[in-house]
Amino acid sequence: MRFKILGPVEAVAPGSDAPGLAPRHRAVLAYLLLHAGAPISTDRLIDAMWGPLPPDSARAQIQTTIAAIRRMLRASDADRMLATRPAGYVITPEPGQLDLDEFTSLTAKAADVSDDAGETADQIRAALALWRGEPLAGITAHYVQGARARLNGQLLTAVERLAELELARGRHDDLIDELSVHAAAHPLRERLCCQLMLALHRAGRQTDALQVARTFRETLAEEQGLDPGHAFIKLEQDILRDAPDLRPPVTAPPKPQGINFLPYDVPDFTGREDELDGLIRLWSGNNGGVVTISAIDGMAGVGKTTLAVHAGHRLADHFPDGQLFIDLQAHTAGQAPLDAGAALEILLGQLGLAAQHIPASVADRAALWRSELSGRRVLAVLDNALGAEQVRPLLPGASRALILITSRRRLTDLDGAHALSLDVLPAAEAVELFTAIVGERAAAEPLAVLDVLQLCGFLPLAVRIAAARLHHRPRWTVAYLADRLRDQRRRLSELATSERGVAAAFTLSYEQLTEDQQRMFRLLGLQPGRDISPEAASALADLPLEQAETLLEDLLDAHVLTQHQLGRYTFHDLLREHALATAAAEEPPNAQREALGRLFHHYLHLASAAIDHLYPEGKDRRPRIPAPDAPAWPPQDEAEAITWLDGERANLMATGQYAAEHDWLPHTSQLAATLHRYLLGHAHQADALALNGLALRAARSSGDTAAEARTLIDRGQVYFWWHGAYEQAAEHYRNALDLARGIGDQGAAAGALQALGAVSRRRREYDQAHDHSARALELFRELGDRVGAARCLTDLGIVHECQGRYEDAHEHHRQALNVHRETGSRIGQTVVLNNIGLVYQRQGRYDEARHHHHQALELSRRFDFPGDEAESLNALAEAARSMGDLARAAAEHDTALTLAREFSYRPEQARAHDGLAHVHRDLGRIDLAHDHARQALDLYTALAVPEADEIRAFLTGLPPIADEPGQPEVSTADRPS
């Protein structure tokens, strides 16, 4: 006998002719079975059947029903199962007679099997197999709705527990159909919905997962007016961003079945989890239903074959009909690439076909290959492919196969293939690989390990070779290995063994290039910068832009170049060294110098054009660079100019240094003079000093006294404006003045005098400052240099302001401003507007002062003058404080301080701290006032300016800080208002 309590309630007695039970009888029997083993009174049965309003005949119906159930049980020889007790009727099925008991027993047993997830899942599946549709189907009684809900709850709890186990085992594919059925039947079950979403996402069906989420949200809102819980929302967001936490668990590689031609899977394989997960999801997303092709490309030595073989071993269990491998020999030393016919012969042989059964023609072999794979689940690694043309005949037709192709070229012509481009290892994975090979010595020298990996460029082949060398040389330390690799002349030779080497791998890639591609590769090795644009490559190779860009893209596809930014191409560090060595060996010296000359002229010409857009007022003072013979593409406006300069700054600095070290002295001097205003005005003071230093040595080496004098002035300006090193700046200016007077260079002499005037003014030596500026003004006017004269007028205006001669100050500033506007000098306008504002502040005309400071601030931000922006902000803060707006003053000083710190602008840092000390004193924040005043004092003292005495006096006058030991509490009445 078997009671199908989970479906229609029936009593099955083989060979019995017992009549079936009426619907009311089945309802009573079901209620008794749901409470098997417990006494059920007649009143309780009446309540269960009809609720609070039973019919008058209810008791009689119950008695009739019990009699009918007894007859059914008697006919099945089970009449002892139902007994009458003082407390009511008791039904006691024997083991195996009630499926609800069996379901409960199996799920309870599954809860105890916690160590073996597979056994636990099997127990739950056995329990779920007992279900046959809707619980208590066809039964109508008062108790049914609640009982059915409880039974369904038990079912869904078991389903969710099973899903949890299977997801943890990585068996998401097997769950999707099952979960979809239950989720459709119970659309408001949030945990069930989440498990279905996760299973779909892990199977590569992100869109379907998000659709399930949307449906749940809409149903929940429509039927219950609620929003999903926190766990649901987090899962939905994680699916949107493909969070690593959602990936399937990593399991041990399955044991391969059937034929297996995969090479040895290295035991120290590390990292590449994202790439492996992607390959597994790619296969899982297809459900094994169609052929899946993944083309793994990357530079030589990046680990393409290692990854493909490891992935093959990980996935082998999914391909019981075999795992195949073939080396297509595109980059195998001493071997020509395999043609399609030879490759197909090898692959068909691996499938077990005898040589006499393999046809002669490539077309017939390809057809046979597709036929053989049509009924098999096979994984094949096509390694070391030359290009799409070589592998296209090797692809299956309708098949449940996974094809992994590795190539040093991007297989862009292989339609339908999933592309996976490998980059070098992340630092953490490279450390893990190195340590796995080297052992304890790596753990003892972590910083040296990072040095070695950096010198290897995090390239897996280089890391493996370096680690292997260290492993077999027990007396070497990691630091010693790093020192050997640091020598660029021998680095590539160090990264080689008797059987393999980085340089050898690179050479094979180089040999597969066309002649034009090889020439571009060699010339790119010569350029000293870190990356290159198509325009610069066009100049370097003396080629039309379109042809140069095509060659760059070809080299990118061949993975001898990389691209980390749109429109810019670069080498891996080791490939750069190989390209340079190849150029030295194959490119004539005169051709090398001519190529570099074209590149340097290109950079210098475009830099000059860009600077002319940004600082048009200085055109006549900078070197004039003629246009190159080949077409150039200079910036067309201010925005393009700043973009080009910012993008090429590192390359410009590299060419300046290279030129200084390789007898291109005029180029270094011209580049420094051209870039000075940009580097000074845009807070690149370190680059400015470095390039000035190179230009100064170049000028002295070549005996160019005029260039030396002007470079000294430029160098002094960096020390003056950004570092506040006034004595160092003054020394450069005095030396420049002596040199200029010695050769009669009136322009340089005027510039040096004007700069010395600024130093004297900063030291509050106003008479001397006036004399220097006035003499410089006279010289500039004699030379017809309006911009130089305007700068002197500004300096004189500042002196008059400091001496309280405000009308004279206004007049000088007005004249200077007119000239700067006429000549288009934005930096000049910014400086003058700030100084006019300061004069108005001195006069107590704060609204007018703020108006001018705002104009200066707008200009400095528009044209990216961070130093002038900090000055404008400090000036606005001082005006706000004078007007009683302390909150505004504190905010402006804070912003100025942040900006000045970011760009190491020490004078404005000191000014901001000074202003904040006064603002916080006025606000009664004595501790903050002390803190800022001390920082201002430190900076002013280092700058050796008179403001140090003033802030020291301010500190002395401040009330003591309340919580300092031995200091009294400051009362509110004692605080300044």
Side-chain angles (χ1 to χ4, degrees), residues 199-224:
L200 288 167
H201 177 67
R202 285 185 175 176
R205 296 167 60 181
Q206 184 190 47
T207 301
D208 293 341
L210 294 174
Q211 180 59 49
V212 170
R214 282 192 292 272
T215 301
F216 177 80
R217 276 182 177 277
E218 292 167 1
T219 306
L220 187 63
E222 181 178 340
E223 296 189 19
Q224 296 188 355

Tab-separated table of all heavy atoms in Angstrom, residues 199-224:
chain	number	residue	atom	x	y	z
A	199	ALA	N	22.679	31.018	-11.201
A	199	ALA	CA	22.963	29.909	-12.122
A	199	ALA	C	23.050	30.403	-13.565
A	199	ALA	O	23.950	30.021	-14.321
A	199	ALA	CB	21.877	28.843	-11.977
A	200	LEU	N	22.116	31.268	-13.967
A	200	LEU	CA	22.154	31.818	-15.327
A	200	LEU	C	23.409	32.640	-15.561
A	200	LEU	O	24.055	32.555	-16.615
A	200	LEU	CB	20.904	32.676	-15.553
A	200	LEU	CG	19.577	31.913	-15.700
A	200	LEU	CD1	18.403	32.874	-15.584
A	200	LEU	CD2	19.527	31.173	-17.029
A	201	HIS	N	23.775	33.459	-14.584
A	201	HIS	CA	24.966	34.312	-14.745
A	201	HIS	C	26.223	33.463	-14.879
A	201	HIS	O	27.079	33.728	-15.728
A	201	HIS	CB	25.081	35.242	-13.547
A	201	HIS	CG	26.306	36.102	-13.573
A	201	HIS	ND1	26.493	37.096	-14.512
A	201	HIS	CD2	27.423	36.113	-12.814
A	201	HIS	CE1	27.655	37.682	-14.317
A	201	HIS	NE2	28.240	37.095	-13.294
A	202	ARG	N	26.327	32.419	-14.048
A	202	ARG	CA	27.514	31.567	-14.127
A	202	ARG	C	27.573	30.804	-15.447
A	202	ARG	O	28.639	30.412	-15.897
A	202	ARG	CB	27.520	30.588	-12.956
A	202	ARG	CG	27.913	31.248	-11.632
A	202	ARG	CD	28.015	30.224	-10.520
A	202	ARG	NE	28.493	30.826	-9.284
A	202	ARG	CZ	28.612	30.173	-8.133
A	202	ARG	NH1	28.268	28.896	-8.062
A	202	ARG	NH2	29.056	30.796	-7.065
A	203	ALA	N	26.416	30.596	-16.039
A	203	ALA	CA	26.379	29.909	-17.335
A	203	ALA	C	26.626	30.864	-18.490
A	203	ALA	O	26.494	30.496	-19.648
A	203	ALA	CB	25.022	29.225	-17.512
A	204	GLY	N	26.978	32.113	-18.186
A	204	GLY	CA	27.252	33.083	-19.239
A	204	GLY	C	26.011	33.744	-19.790
A	204	GLY	O	26.063	34.403	-20.825
A	205	ARG	N	24.881	33.604	-19.108
A	205	ARG	CA	23.611	34.174	-19.605
A	205	ARG	C	23.219	35.368	-18.735
A	205	ARG	O	22.199	35.358	-18.051
A	205	ARG	CB	22.539	33.088	-19.599
A	205	ARG	CG	22.857	31.947	-20.551
A	205	ARG	CD	21.971	30.732	-20.320
A	205	ARG	NE	20.561	31.017	-20.502
A	205	ARG	CZ	19.591	30.114	-20.327
A	205	ARG	NH1	19.905	28.874	-19.977
A	205	ARG	NH2	18.321	30.451	-20.494
A	206	GLN	N	24.057	36.403	-18.752
A	206	GLN	CA	23.825	37.574	-17.899
A	206	GLN	C	22.492	38.246	-18.246
A	206	GLN	O	21.747	38.667	-17.356
A	206	GLN	CB	24.977	38.573	-18.043
A	206	GLN	CG	24.855	39.764	-17.115
A	206	GLN	CD	25.858	40.850	-17.444
A	206	GLN	OE1	26.006	41.198	-18.610
A	206	GLN	NE2	26.527	41.382	-16.446
A	207	THR	N	22.189	38.350	-19.529
A	207	THR	CA	20.942	39.014	-19.936
A	207	THR	C	19.731	38.291	-19.367
A	207	THR	O	18.792	38.915	-18.856
A	207	THR	CB	20.860	39.062	-21.472
A	207	THR	OG1	22.000	39.767	-21.979
A	207	THR	CG2	19.590	39.773	-21.916
A	208	ASP	N	19.727	36.938	-19.448
A	208	ASP	CA	18.610	36.166	-18.900
A	208	ASP	C	18.507	36.335	-17.393
A	208	ASP	O	17.415	36.417	-16.831
A	208	ASP	CB	18.782	34.685	-19.251
A	208	ASP	CG	18.641	34.443	-20.739
A	208	ASP	OD1	18.074	35.307	-21.445
A	208	ASP	OD2	19.101	33.380	-21.209
A	209	ALA	N	19.668	36.383	-16.722
A	209	ALA	CA	19.664	36.556	-15.270
A	209	ALA	C	19.024	37.885	-14.875
A	209	ALA	O	18.229	37.965	-13.933
A	209	ALA	CB	21.089	36.468	-14.734
A	210	LEU	N	19.375	38.928	-15.604
A	210	LEU	CA	18.820	40.250	-15.297
A	210	LEU	C	17.341	40.328	-15.640
A	210	LEU	O	16.578	41.051	-14.992
A	210	LEU	CB	19.613	41.325	-16.041
A	210	LEU	CG	21.068	41.472	-15.585
A	210	LEU	CD1	21.817	42.455	-16.473
A	210	LEU	CD2	21.120	41.950	-14.132
A	211	GLN	N	16.895	39.561	-16.664
A	211	GLN	CA	15.470	39.525	-16.985
A	211	GLN	C	14.680	38.853	-15.864
A	211	GLN	O	13.577	39.283	-15.507
A	211	GLN	CB	15.246	38.778	-18.298
A	211	GLN	CG	13.776	38.702	-18.719
A	211	GLN	CD	13.152	40.076	-18.883
A	211	GLN	OE1	13.710	40.948	-19.538
A	211	GLN	NE2	12.004	40.289	-18.264
A	212	VAL	N	15.223	37.790	-15.283
A	212	VAL	CA	14.584	37.154	-14.127
A	212	VAL	C	14.454	38.157	-12.982
A	212	VAL	O	13.418	38.230	-12.312
A	212	VAL	CB	15.400	35.918	-13.682
A	212	VAL	CG1	14.903	35.389	-12.340
A	212	VAL	CG2	15.318	34.820	-14.732
A	213	ALA	N	15.517	38.955	-12.781
A	213	ALA	CA	15.483	39.951	-11.711
A	213	ALA	C	14.393	40.987	-11.957
A	213	ALA	O	13.645	41.361	-11.041
A	213	ALA	CB	16.850	40.634	-11.599
A	214	ARG	N	14.305	41.461	-13.198
A	214	ARG	CA	13.286	42.474	-13.513
A	214	ARG	C	11.873	41.921	-13.307
A	214	ARG	O	10.993	42.586	-12.761
A	214	ARG	CB	13.470	42.958	-14.949
A	214	ARG	CG	14.602	43.955	-15.123
A	214	ARG	CD	14.556	44.610	-16.486
A	214	ARG	NE	14.851	43.657	-17.548
A	214	ARG	CZ	16.082	43.385	-17.979
A	214	ARG	NH1	17.116	43.991	-17.441
A	214	ARG	NH2	16.285	42.525	-18.963
A	215	THR	N	11.642	40.675	-13.753
A	215	THR	CA	10.321	40.057	-13.588
A	215	THR	C	9.958	39.932	-12.113
A	215	THR	O	8.825	40.208	-11.703
A	215	THR	CB	10.318	38.672	-14.258
A	215	THR	OG1	10.631	38.826	-15.645
A	215	THR	CG2	8.969	38.008	-14.102
A	216	PHE	N	10.925	39.525	-11.295
A	216	PHE	CA	10.655	39.402	-9.859
A	216	PHE	C	10.306	40.748	-9.250
A	216	PHE	O	9.352	40.867	-8.472
A	216	PHE	CB	11.876	38.804	-9.162
A	216	PHE	CG	11.710	38.699	-7.669
A	216	PHE	CD1	10.993	37.648	-7.109
A	216	PHE	CD2	12.243	39.649	-6.817
A	216	PHE	CE1	10.829	37.548	-5.735
A	216	PHE	CE2	12.080	39.564	-5.452
A	216	PHE	CZ	11.384	38.517	-4.901
A	217	ARG	N	11.090	41.767	-9.598
A	217	ARG	CA	10.822	43.108	-9.068
A	217	ARG	C	9.393	43.551	-9.407
A	217	ARG	O	8.645	44.041	-8.553
A	217	ARG	CB	11.801	44.130	-9.669
A	217	ARG	CG	13.138	44.222	-8.973
A	217	ARG	CD	13.981	45.301	-9.651
A	217	ARG	NE	15.248	45.486	-8.985
A	217	ARG	CZ	15.408	46.252	-7.913
A	217	ARG	NH1	14.374	46.885	-7.410
A	217	ARG	NH2	16.602	46.386	-7.368
A	218	GLU	N	9.021	43.403	-10.680
A	218	GLU	CA	7.708	43.874	-11.131
A	218	GLU	C	6.579	43.083	-10.464
A	218	GLU	O	5.574	43.652	-10.029
A	218	GLU	CB	7.617	43.732	-12.650
A	218	GLU	CG	8.552	44.704	-13.389
A	218	GLU	CD	8.703	44.359	-14.866
A	218	GLU	OE1	8.076	43.379	-15.319
A	218	GLU	OE2	9.458	45.068	-15.554
A	219	THR	N	6.741	41.757	-10.365
A	219	THR	CA	5.713	40.930	-9.741
A	219	THR	C	5.559	41.272	-8.266
A	219	THR	O	4.434	41.386	-7.749
A	219	THR	CB	6.069	39.438	-9.906
A	219	THR	OG1	6.281	39.155	-11.289
A	219	THR	CG2	4.965	38.566	-9.363
A	220	LEU	N	6.667	41.430	-7.570
A	220	LEU	CA	6.632	41.751	-6.146
A	220	LEU	C	5.957	43.100	-5.906
A	220	LEU	O	5.139	43.253	-4.995
A	220	LEU	CB	8.053	41.765	-5.577
A	220	LEU	CG	8.180	41.920	-4.061
A	220	LEU	CD1	7.539	40.730	-3.348
A	220	LEU	CD2	9.655	42.035	-3.663
A	221	ALA	N	6.284	44.079	-6.738
A	221	ALA	CA	5.677	45.401	-6.582
A	221	ALA	C	4.187	45.373	-6.900
A	221	ALA	O	3.374	46.006	-6.204
A	221	ALA	CB	6.392	46.403	-7.484
A	222	GLU	N	3.828	44.616	-7.941
A	222	GLU	CA	2.428	44.599	-8.379
A	222	GLU	C	1.536	43.835	-7.403
A	222	GLU	O	0.429	44.269	-7.088
A	222	GLU	CB	2.346	43.959	-9.765
A	222	GLU	CG	0.934	43.906	-10.340
A	222	GLU	CD	0.930	43.311	-11.739
A	222	GLU	OE1	1.989	43.303	-12.379
A	222	GLU	OE2	-0.130	42.843	-12.162
A	223	GLU	N	2.034	42.710	-6.891
A	223	GLU	CA	1.180	41.872	-6.064
A	223	GLU	C	1.262	42.181	-4.574
A	223	GLU	O	0.293	41.958	-3.842
A	223	GLU	CB	1.533	40.399	-6.296
A	223	GLU	CG	1.241	39.945	-7.725
A	223	GLU	CD	1.376	38.435	-7.899
A	223	GLU	OE1	1.333	37.723	-6.875
A	223	GLU	OE2	1.512	37.995	-9.041
A	224	GLN	N	2.414	42.697	-4.136
A	224	GLN	CA	2.543	42.956	-2.703
A	224	GLN	C	2.958	44.380	-2.374
A	224	GLN	O	3.008	44.757	-1.204
A	224	GLN	CB	3.568	41.976	-2.094
A	224	GLN	CG	3.131	40.525	-2.183
A	224	GLN	CD	4.059	39.606	-1.404
A	224	GLN	OE1	5.087	40.034	-0.875
A	224	GLN	NE2	3.695	38.326	-1.317
